[in-house]
Amino acid sequence: MHRGASTPATAPQREVTATALGPWPGEDPVEAARIIRGELGSPHLPFLAELPDRGVGSDALGRTACLLEELAVDVQPYGWRLVDRPGKDFRRAASALATDINVLADVAGAEEKSAAEIKIQLVGPLSLAAGLHLHNGERALIDYGARRDLAASLAAGVGDYLARVSAAVPGARVVVQVDEPDIAAVLAGTIPTSSGYRTLRAVPSSEVRESWRVVLDALRAAGAAETVISVPEVEAPFEQILAAGADGIAVPLKALTSRQWEHLAGAVESGKNLWIGALDAAGGTLPKTAESVETVWRPWRQLGLPALSLAAIRVTPSAGLAGRTPAQATAVLGRLTQLADGLNQLAQG
């Protein structure tokens, strides 16, 4: 899956592991890093938390926009806008990310035994184009040239991001989750124009694949050990993700159809990784571990996949955890590791 001398070898994953999607409650990056790294020690996958409660620039879109090379953004009443030169909003986003990376270095540096991996998240090029606006207020998604430039700018900017994270946790494999929350609407042509009276034209699948490929290739060249594209379950374009060269797919479990499960089974059989949003943390009470294990194991068994191939799975919550309290989010991570343990028992017979 990884080609070229500059690309690190992917360590084989021999057991089910747990991670979360990135968004985390509260405003304290030190507390977030300590909790996440405490709950998701090896073999699990700790992550660099996104703390949207801090406000402008700490949201996923602003955080990714501050990575763009030779493009800048600011905030208008309708959202983030591409501008000629960086302003206070851009600097605020960049400062928050720099703080988080410095905190990661401090927390990881104080550990007796540091985790073998770290995950970072960024918004993918299509959802970025859907979320950023041009000077005239229209979404960048409307313009082919703007879409192309955004993908190229993101690809040019990810190297510095990975280098800074790698320096914060020396020797750790860096895993990158590329979030495409708007991809179904981008492909279906259902995203509204700024006026709201019509919708933007669907982006061709071939262009979506190429935009992903540009970013994924840049991530690998920068040292990413694993790249996964995260999408909602509705109209999830699994075939396009795999054709673009991603190492895996991250998707919520709750509404997957039988046909989607078949596509995922094919991906697993071809050596791809599967991140399943198997824990629905939206309610007040977390599901029992045995129930969550069964929601994964039942379709796995029905598809005829061998128990040993469960090792291709990482388990995640079905959504980000920013809307929970820190205590609730911590409990979710604990339950995820129990879910991984339960699936590993099945995998080992």
Side-chain angles (χ1 to χ4, degrees):
M1 285 174 281
H2 297 295
R3 298 177 178 85
S6 63
T7 303
T10 299
Q13 187 178 321
R14 295 189 180 88
E15 57 190 313
V16 183
T17 57
T19 191
L21 297 175
W24 189 262
E27 302 179 21
D28 184 350
V30 177
E31 178 191 48
R34 285 176 176 161
I35 291 172
I36 291 165
R37 295 184 69 80
E39 295 291 330
L40 296 178
S42 293
H44 303 293
L45 179 61
F47 56 95
L48 185 64
E50 298 170 357
L51 301 171
D53 289 351
R54 287 187 297 193
V56 171
S58 291
D59 58 298
L61 196 66
R63 197 173 176 87
T64 300
C66 82
L67 305 175
L68 295 173
E69 191 76 28
E70 296 186 358
L71 291 175
V73 292
D74 69 7
V75 176
Q76 295 296 309
Y78 49 76
W80 287 95
R81 177 185 67 166
L82 290 161
V83 291
D84 294 330
R85 60 185 62 85
K88 64 177 176 24
D89 301 315
F90 185 97
R91 289 192 293 271
R92 185 174 175 182
S95 175
L97 181 58
T99 295
D100 292 350
I101 294 172
N102 290 337
V103 164
L104 173 66
D106 291 343
V107 173
E111 294 169 344
E112 286 186 19
K113 184 179 183 219
S114 197
E117 300 179 301
I118 180 71
K119 176 172 73 75
I120 57 177
Q121 305 82 222
L122 53 87
V123 177
L126 283 310
S127 296
L128 195 62
L132 296 179
H133 298 259
L134 303 172
H135 288 274
N136 62 5
E138 194 52 83
R139 296 176 192 272
L141 192 70
I142 198 172
D143 182 82
Y144 168 74
R147 297 194 302 265
R148 181 195 57 210
D149 291 349
L150 272 174
S153 177
L154 181 60
V158 296
D160 179 62
Y161 183 25
L162 263 71
R164 290 155 64 197
V165 171
S166 294
V169 280
R173 294 172 76 248
V174 180
V175 177
V176 184
Q177 171 190 317
V178 179
D179 292 321
E180 287 284 8
D182 298 319
I183 192 60
V186 167
L187 286 165
T190 57
I191 290 181
T193 58
S194 58
S195 69
Y197 291 121
R198 60 189 182 88
T199 57
L200 299 178
R201 184 177 301 170
V203 176
S205 296
S206 57
E207 184 187 331
V208 169
R209 285 196 306 274
E210 185 53 34
S211 293
W212 283 342
R213 191 175 289 117
V214 165
V215 174
L216 294 174
D217 285 352
L219 287 168
R220 288 201 190 91
E226 181 183 347
T227 56
V228 169
I229 295 180
S230 175
V231 291
E233 71 277 9
V234 179
E235 301 297 330
F238 298 150
E239 292 176 355
Q240 308 299 341
I241 292 171
L242 299 177
D247 297 313
I249 295 166
V251 65
L253 171 65
K254 54 189 177 183
L256 290 177
T257 64
S258 297
R259 181 167 177 75
Q260 286 178 310
W261 266 112
E262 288 170 5
H263 283 152
L264 293 174
V268 169
E269 288 172 337
S270 67
K272 298 294 185 177
N273 298 328
L274 178 57
W275 295 17
I276 296 182
L279 187 64
D280 188 353
T285 305
L286 290 176
K288 291 186 172 68
T289 302
E291 294 172 4
S292 297
V293 167
E294 188 61 20
T295 62
V296 177
W297 179 233
R298 187 186 310 112
W300 204 263
R301 195 174 56 238
Q302 288 171 347
L303 287 163
L305 289 166
L308 276 174
S309 66
L310 285 167
I313 290 179
R314 291 193 202 271
V315 289
T316 77
S318 58
L321 300 174
R324 320 302 290 169
T325 66
Q328 289 171 331
T330 304
V332 168
L333 298 188
R335 186 57 54 87
L336 283 168
T337 61
Q338 293 168 359
L339 169 55
D341 288 344
L343 289 169
N344 278 321
Q345 289 174 27
L346 289 172
Q348 293 155 14

